[in-house]
Amino acid sequence: ATMRSPEKETELNQLENVTLLPLDVTNIQQIETTVKAAIHLRDIDVVFNNAGYGLVGSLESYTEEQIRSQFETNFFGVIEVTQAFIDLLKVAEQPRIVNVTSGLGSITLHNDPSWRYYQVKAAAYFPSKAALNAYSTVLAYDLRDTAFKVNVVDPGYTATDFNHHSGPGTVEDAAARVVKAAVLGADGPTGQFFSDDNSPETGISPW
């Protein structure tokens, strides 16, 4: 497992089968160092890209630097990490890439006034997650004739530090949604936008 400050995760550090490595997805040198360390641990079967960064405000209230910083984490960081690990994944029997998106990344729903989150435009966060969705769609297509499964998952409006614990969902439920995409069988879907929050009947969100 990777995180920006693994030394602070005392509970995870006590687990026998978990190795924590430092990783800032906006730091290319650290990504390369983490990949080298991962080679010596075990086979890599799944890459979860779940780093996320968002600010509340209108586009007019953001500086260009603030907008770029959200894209660096939510979009470019995913690309850098994926490209760094792709060769390790290629030797796995059933490689999986799970990109954690947001229900707020759906362009279709943002144009639907009846959608319950219609007014939550998250001016820079929304475009960065929409871009992540587009990248994931292309990546799934490029890998369509391989054993890879590439999907995006909306974990739902979950109570975490990210949103000051304002979300109604639990971390356990959110984690279950993400893990589900990682354990898809060989006949499972690829290039999908999974979201129980946006589409509770089908579990598939419109793009």
Side-chain angles (χ1 to χ4, degrees):
T2 62
M3 55 193 63
R4 283 182 299 173
S5 303
E7 69 281 356
K8 296 180 181 179
E9 298 295 330
T10 55
E11 293 184 9
L12 288 177
N13 275 306
Q14 293 174 358
L15 297 177
E16 293 182 2
N17 297 321
V18 175
T19 299
L20 298 184
L21 298 172
L23 179 60
D24 178 345
V25 301
T26 66
N27 187 323
I28 295 178
Q29 289 185 334
Q30 195 171 72
I31 292 174
E32 293 175 349
T33 299
T34 300
V35 170
K36 291 178 181 178
I39 293 175
H40 302 292
L41 292 176
R42 60 179 60 189
D43 295 337
I44 304 298
D45 300 297
V46 182
V47 167
F48 295 98
N49 287 304
N50 69 329
Y53 171 48
L55 296 172
V56 177
S58 66
L59 282 176
E60 292 181 351
S61 68
Y62 287 145
T63 64
E64 181 179 346
E65 182 179 357
Q66 288 174 322
I67 295 173
R68 286 181 181 276
S69 67
Q70 293 186 62
F71 270 82
E72 286 294 337
T73 297
N74 301 340
F75 179 60
F76 292 110
V78 172
I79 296 175
E80 294 288 355
V81 170
T82 300
Q83 290 181 337
F85 277 93
I86 196 74
D87 286 339
L88 294 179
L89 285 169
K90 286 180 178 178
V91 300
E93 291 185 7
Q94 298 187 61
R96 303 289 180 261
I97 297 174
V98 182
N99 294 331
V100 179
T101 186
S102 168
L104 297 176
S106 171
I107 297 176
T108 298
L109 292 177
H110 270 294
N111 283 285
D112 180 359
S114 68
W115 184 42
R116 59 176 169 167
Y117 299 125
Y118 177 71
Q119 296 182 357
V120 186
K121 291 308 181 202
Y125 181 73
F126 156 39
S128 69
K129 286 298 188 179
L132 168 63
N133 291 350
Y135 165 72
S136 303
T137 299
V138 174
L139 183 62
Y141 179 81
D142 285 348
L143 297 171
R144 66 193 182 283
D145 294 326
T146 71
F148 275 84
K149 303 293 181 185
V150 181
N151 293 290
V152 297
V153 179
D154 164 26
Y157 189 12
T158 306
T160 64
D161 292 345
F162 183 82
N163 55 38
H164 306 290
H165 295 268
S166 61
T170 67
V171 171
E172 291 77 11
D173 286 344
R177 294 186 180 105
V178 175
V179 170
K180 185 178 179 180
V183 296
L184 291 170
D187 59 346
T190 189
Q192 292 288 349
F193 182 173
F194 295 117
S195 176
D196 293 337
D197 199 14
N198 282 348
S199 303
E201 296 84 9
T202 65
I204 303 294
S205 174
W207 296 97

